[in-house]
Structures are given as C-alpha cells and as structure tokens.
C-alpha cells in the first residue's frame, strides 16, 4: 500500500446490501411520494364522490370509505417501506454473488480524490452529493440520490478500518466541507 492510497478488502454479505438499501435516500423519497400521492388521491376521492354538500345524505358514507382508504393505503406504504430494504438488498446480493466472488476491494486515491471499487475498479468521484452514514457495524457511502447511484460499505467493526475511514473523511473535508458522517442507530 503506497502512501497516496487507502485500501479496504472485505467480504460483501447479504446484511451489508440490506443496510445499503435501508439508508438510501431514494427509498425515503419514494415513501414520501407514495404517502403524498395516496393522500391526494384520497382527498380527491372524497371531494369528487361525496362533495361537500351538507344536504347530501351519502356524504358520511363517502367520508367513512375515504377514511378507511386513507388508513389502508398509509399502512400499506408504511409496511412496504419497512419491507423494501430487505427484498431489494437480498436481490442485489444475489446479483452480486452471481457475478462471482463476494470479495470486494475499495481504494481511495488521495492525490486525485477518487475511489475505485469492485472487481472492475469502477472509478467513483466524490462531490457535494456524497453522503456517508455510520451505523453500528458499517460505514455506508452514497454518491448521489438516485436508484442506480454508486454506493458501497466498509466495515466499522475493526479499529484499523475506522481509522482509515476517518483519514479519508479528513482528507475529503478540505475539498468538500459539506460532506459529514451521519450516525444512525439500527
């Protein structure tokens, strides 16, 4: 290992992929959009079908159905949001495993401020959209907010790995002061 690079070698597990999906920003945005969409649908349903006419005897019936529909869709969004990281994470791990070994190598190049990750040494350049989330066992790196934006995780169980990540973050804070490590409880 030369002094201008920091290298991580790790075995990717299904739990790593689930954690990467669980804290991704696209998942939170999707849940918010579903909740807002279903709420608007429910309001339009109630207004269109029941009207706001006090002389309408069916208005309470329509509002009752609207309330039921709202409660049902809200619970479906909530439970879907809770279940989605597990299904997407398991699917991503199966795809990753199908490509060959689950070993991965991540290298940070200090001189050019880029990461190379994976078997094909895919180059990832940090920018203002980079997010770093620290959980109990991992550091999760996200480069963008989209569904297919690059991301990877580094184990935080070894003190040497934690020191390496802190060196990377100190180095990147000079170029991108808005990038901070966000701590999340599991």
């Amino acid at each position: 290992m030369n002094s201008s690079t920091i290298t991580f070698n790790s075995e990717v597990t299904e739990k790593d992929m689930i954690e990467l999906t669980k804290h991704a920003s696209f998942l939170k945005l999707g849940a918010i959009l579903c909740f807002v969409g279903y709420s608007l649908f429910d309001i339009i349903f109630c207004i269109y079908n029941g009207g706001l006419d006090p002389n309408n005897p069916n208005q309470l019936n329509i509002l009752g159905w609207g309330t039921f529909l709202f409660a049902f869709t809200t619970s479906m969004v909530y439970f879907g949001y809770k279940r989605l990281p597990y299904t997407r994470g398991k699917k991503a791990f199966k795809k990753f495993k199908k490509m060959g070994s689950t070993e991965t190598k991540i290298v940070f190049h200090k001189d050019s401020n880029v990461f190379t990750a994976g078997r094909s040494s895919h180059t990832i350049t940090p920018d203002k959209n980079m997010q770093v989330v620290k959980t109990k066992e991992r550091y999760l790196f996200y480069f963008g907010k989209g569904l297919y934006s690059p991301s990877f995780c580094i184990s935080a169980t070894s003190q040497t790995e934690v020191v390496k990540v802190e060196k990377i973050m100190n180095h990147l804070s000079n170029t991108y002061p808005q990038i901070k490590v966000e701590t999340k409880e599991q």
Side-chain angles (χ1 to χ4, degrees):
M1 177 173 106
N2 82 40
S3 63
S4 67
T5 63
I6 300 174
T7 305
F8 302 91
N9 290 313
S10 64
E11 179 84 18
V12 177
T13 65
E14 189 173 309
K15 198 172 181 182
D16 293 336
M17 293 298 213
I18 290 171
E19 282 295 311
L20 271 174
T21 307
K22 185 177 182 180
H23 297 289
S25 59
F26 73 84
L27 187 66
K28 295 171 190 153
L29 178 63
I32 290 168
L33 290 176
C34 284
F35 180 75
V36 169
Y38 284 137
S39 299
L40 287 175
F41 172 76
D42 186 49
I43 291 168
I44 292 169
F45 172 79
C46 289
I47 291 173
Y48 180 74
N49 287 323
L52 295 177
D53 182 13
N55 296 326
N56 185 352
N58 291 327
Q59 185 172 4
L60 291 177
N61 191 21
I62 296 297
L63 288 175
W65 275 107
T67 303
F68 168 75
L69 185 63
F70 178 75
F72 177 74
T73 55
T74 302
S75 63
M76 293 306 289
V77 168
Y78 174 77
F79 290 117
Y81 172 74
K82 290 293 184 188
R83 185 74 183 136
L84 190 62
Y86 299 101
T87 57
R88 283 201 57 83
K90 287 180 180 185
K91 185 177 179 180
F93 180 71
K94 283 180 185 176
K95 186 177 180 181
F96 189 79
K97 195 173 179 182
K98 200 180 266 189
M99 292 191 299
S101 172
T102 56
E103 290 275 328
T104 188
K105 182 177 180 179
I106 300 162
V107 180
F108 177 70
H109 303 275
K110 288 182 185 179
D111 52 348
S112 57
N113 282 349
V114 297
F115 289 92
T116 53
R119 291 180 282 272
S120 61
S121 295
H122 178 72
T123 302
I124 306 168
T125 306
D127 62 5
K128 62 181 178 159
N129 294 324
M130 179 180 159
Q131 286 183 295
V132 180
V133 177
K134 183 187 184 307
T135 63
K136 185 177 179 182
E137 299 176 351
R138 295 167 189 80
Y139 283 97
L140 309 170
F141 288 78
Y142 299 98
F143 300 89
K145 299 183 186 280
L147 178 61
Y148 298 108
S149 298
S151 61
F152 59 81
C153 68
I154 296 172
S155 174
T157 55
S158 163
Q159 188 60 32
T160 57
E161 303 294 312
V162 172
V163 169
K164 289 180 186 180
V165 171
E166 288 174 358
K167 284 181 184 177
I168 291 171
M169 295 311 297
N170 288 336
H171 183 77
L172 286 176
S173 67
N174 297 331
T175 310
Y176 305 105
Q178 68 275 19
I179 298 174
K180 304 284 185 225
V181 177
E182 180 182 347
T183 304
K184 299 253 180 143
E185 295 299 319
Q186 292 184 5

